[in-house]
Amino acid sequence: FPRPRTARRLAEPGEILATKSVQLMGARRADAQFEDVGTRALKGLDDPVEIVRVLDTHSGDSVPMPRALAIDRRFPIVGRTAVINQIAQRWQAACKGTAATLLVTGQPGIGKSRVIADAALQAHADGALVLAGICDGERPVPYQPFAMALADPAIDDEQLSLARGAGVGALAALFPGDWSGRSDEQGPAARFELFDAVSNLLHRLCTVQPVTLVLEDLHWATPPTLLLLRHVVQHVPDARLLVLGSY
């Protein structure tokens, strides 16, 4: 049988083309985007094939989208124009140095996570560092969504790297592992030190690029987690930071 010609051989140098079926699978990955380029006739196939161009959604040393925000983009968002516009407005303000916090509420399955993930993906496309963490209702742990959001080794911060890798500094309380334990187990002074360290870390990250911090399922958050969130909101008002939460 003759070997069919593929979309790859139709591409220009440095370009990646794929079929629509590949797009449907790739749309489930938060860091994959596609652009329609029309239909092409491929040798060995009777009908023209819809072709898409694979876009580079992050380049260089940028941190990719968190896997926690992976969404299926095959289906459009319906009936969420108001909240999408509100998030977009707050994001633009955050990019100019006015930090903002938005909480998206609603019944389970109503589409909160999809709206937030879509907004975070747009922020990432605009050059933001996107961080994301989720509260676990079955195993509630203090500071869980913050620890998850800051656990990505691709985040470039010396103090954070020392905390994750060697248990050094106040931030180490987020990642107990083999270290001494969480600051909520060590008294109010250690807890305040951690709160300040997290706020200062976010402020440092925001000086490099805008940051979108996603905290999902806050209805499962422990009291220490909510106290840390309140501290962050109160102490980084002039940072390029957008906090998006759901509950």
Side-chain angles (χ1 to χ4, degrees):
F1 294 94
R3 185 177 181 179
R5 190 164 55 143
T6 65
R8 178 178 59 84
R9 296 187 58 186
L10 300 175
E12 298 294 331
E15 182 181 46
I16 301 176
L17 300 181
T19 63
K20 271 287 187 179
S21 60
V22 173
Q23 179 185 9
L24 293 177
M25 292 184 291
R28 299 183 182 185
R29 295 170 55 88
D31 55 357
Q33 289 189 358
F34 303 86
E35 178 182 59
D36 288 329
V37 296
T39 59
R40 305 286 175 87
L42 301 183
K43 186 176 180 179
L45 299 179
D46 295 333
D47 299 320
V49 176
E50 292 185 72
I51 301 297
V52 295
R53 179 180 295 110
V54 182
L55 302 180
D56 183 13
T57 58
H58 63 273
S59 58
D61 297 326
S62 65
V63 180
M65 282 284 291
R67 294 301 180 197
L69 295 179
I71 55 176
D72 189 341
R73 295 175 60 85
R74 292 177 298 172
F75 307 103
I77 299 177
V78 178
R80 299 290 181 269
T81 303
V83 66
I84 291 173
N85 289 341
Q86 187 177 11
I87 293 175
Q89 291 172 3
R90 295 298 182 90
W91 168 240
Q92 293 302 319
C95 288
K96 297 177 182 179
T98 301
T101 301
L102 281 175
L103 301 180
V104 181
T105 67
Q107 296 298 318
I110 201 172
K112 303 184 299 293
S113 295
R114 172 61 195 276
V115 168
I116 288 176
D118 211 66
L121 186 60
Q122 181 57 55
H124 187 264
D126 291 342
L129 168 64
V130 177
L131 310 172
I134 304 172
C135 301
D136 188 341
E138 296 183 359
R139 294 180 297 175
V141 177
Y143 318 123
Q144 184 178 32
F146 286 93
M148 182 178 178
L150 298 172
D152 191 336
I155 301 173
D156 185 15
D157 183 84
E158 182 178 1
Q159 292 184 36
L160 180 60
S161 297
L162 288 172
R164 288 187 309 235
V168 175
L171 290 170
L174 290 176
F175 317 101
D178 297 328
W179 319 129
S180 58
R182 299 188 184 275
S183 64
D184 59 299
E185 300 169 353
Q186 301 175 7
R191 178 183 295 180
F192 183 79
E193 186 179 5
L194 169 64
F195 287 11
D196 257 6
V198 172
S199 296
N200 291 336
L201 167 63
L202 290 172
H203 205 283
R204 289 196 301 274
L205 295 176
C206 289
T207 62
V208 178
Q209 64 190 121
V211 174
T212 294
L213 173 62
V214 175
L215 304 173
E216 288 264 41
D217 296 334
L218 286 171
H219 50 283
W220 298 119
T222 62
T225 300
L226 296 178
L227 288 174
L228 175 54
L229 174 58
R230 184 177 69 177
H231 185 91
V232 166
V233 170
Q234 292 176 342
H235 287 78
V236 288
D238 57 347
R240 295 186 295 170
L241 174 67
L242 175 64
V243 179
L244 293 175
S246 70
Y247 71 93

